[in-house]
Amino acid sequence: MHTGLASHIKNFVKLTDDESLILLDYTRPLQVKKKHYLLKEGQVCKSNYFVEKGCLRLFFTDEKGAEQTTQFAIEHWWLTDYTSFCKNTASQFYIQAVETSTIIVFEKSVQQELYAKLPQLERYFRMILEKTYGAAQWRIKHMFSHSKEEMYKMFSALYPEFIQRVPQYMLASYLGLTPEYLSEVRNKKS
């Protein structure tokens, strides 16, 4: 039974044991192998993914074919393409497992029915989206106001677990660096 999601939600809103069982009936666990795609560009994103164990990333491919990572999700984080998920449109992103991962799938097709049964979930997701949006604002501000080296130092201080878990080329992409420059910065730090 995937209880990590219910435990996580209880950190934000009240959820009884009976309500937790309802939640578990509407979601499903999924094991994904490293490099597995949950979403590819052009597909409609029909699910929101909660990471119980592992790491996912959201990325797009630029006009030169280079991958540009925009988000990561580790334990107890959510990941989806919200534009595609909410508007039922073709995604411009990919969602891929960085590591072999255990995730909980929250499908859009059951979202409204589950909200009707557990209205506190709307509050929970609002709180999660507020945190996510705030983090995105912080990231954009710092991308414009700090050097690439300062961005790496701040990121590694705030999220040291990513430095060990995420391949260097993905981390470089997320920080707007080339893998070679990131290697230089890491070597300076050593």
Side-chain angles (χ1 to χ4, degrees):
M1 183 184 281
H2 51 286
T3 57
L5 174 59
S7 296
H8 176 71
I9 290 172
K10 288 177 183 179
N11 290 326
F12 294 86
V13 295
K14 290 182 181 177
L15 198 64
T16 67
D17 289 343
D18 288 341
E19 290 169 330
S20 294
L21 292 174
I22 293 169
L23 172 69
L24 298 179
D25 283 342
Y26 278 82
T27 57
R28 65 181 166 87
L30 182 64
Q31 295 281 333
V32 291
K33 293 183 188 239
K34 181 178 180 176
K35 297 189 178 182
H36 174 79
Y37 287 93
L38 294 162
L39 178 70
K40 291 185 178 179
E41 181 180 15
Q43 296 175 331
V44 175
C45 186
K46 297 185 182 289
S47 300
N48 197 348
Y49 304 102
F50 178 79
V51 179
E52 281 211 331
K53 184 173 191 274
C55 181
L56 305 177
R57 72 175 176 136
L58 180 79
F59 71 97
F60 66 93
T61 327
D62 69 16
E63 64 280 347
K64 295 178 184 172
E67 294 177 359
Q68 300 295 312
T69 301
T70 59
Q71 275 184 279
F72 289 105
I74 56 173
E75 289 79 11
H76 302 153
W77 291 14
W78 287 92
L79 190 64
T80 194
D81 172 352
Y82 275 105
T83 301
S84 178
F85 182 78
C86 294
K87 293 184 174 186
N88 204 39
T89 57
S91 180
Q92 297 181 25
F93 294 93
Y94 296 83
I95 297 177
Q96 182 185 44
V98 175
E99 303 170 342
T100 296
S101 302
T102 303
I103 60 174
I104 305 301
V105 180
F106 183 74
E107 294 177 7
K108 182 167 177 73
S109 62
V110 300
Q111 181 177 339
Q112 294 308 315
E113 188 178 340
L114 185 56
Y115 286 171
K117 290 185 179 196
L118 303 174
Q120 67 269 42
L121 286 185
E122 286 193 88
R123 181 170 186 264
Y124 164 77
F125 278 107
R126 178 187 51 81
M127 294 168 79
I128 294 300
L129 282 170
E130 286 171 352
K131 287 179 71 167
T132 302
Y133 188 72
Q137 287 179 316
W138 181 90
R139 180 174 175 227
I140 291 167
K141 177 192 183 288
H142 288 280
M143 285 179 72
F144 284 107
S145 60
H146 291 85
S147 72
K148 303 291 186 185
E149 189 171 338
E150 290 169 328
M151 279 295 293
Y152 172 76
K153 287 178 183 176
M154 282 190 300
F155 184 81
S156 61
L158 288 170
Y159 304 105
E161 65 273 22
F162 280 100
I163 304 304
Q164 300 302 318
R165 293 174 71 175
V166 174
Q168 184 167 308
Y169 78 94
M170 288 182 194
L171 186 57
S173 167
Y174 178 77
L175 294 172
L177 309 171
T178 64
E180 297 79 17
Y181 184 73
L182 179 57
S183 185
E184 286 178 33
V185 170
R186 289 175 102 168
N187 288 336
K188 272 192 217 175
K189 192 175 179 188
S190 296

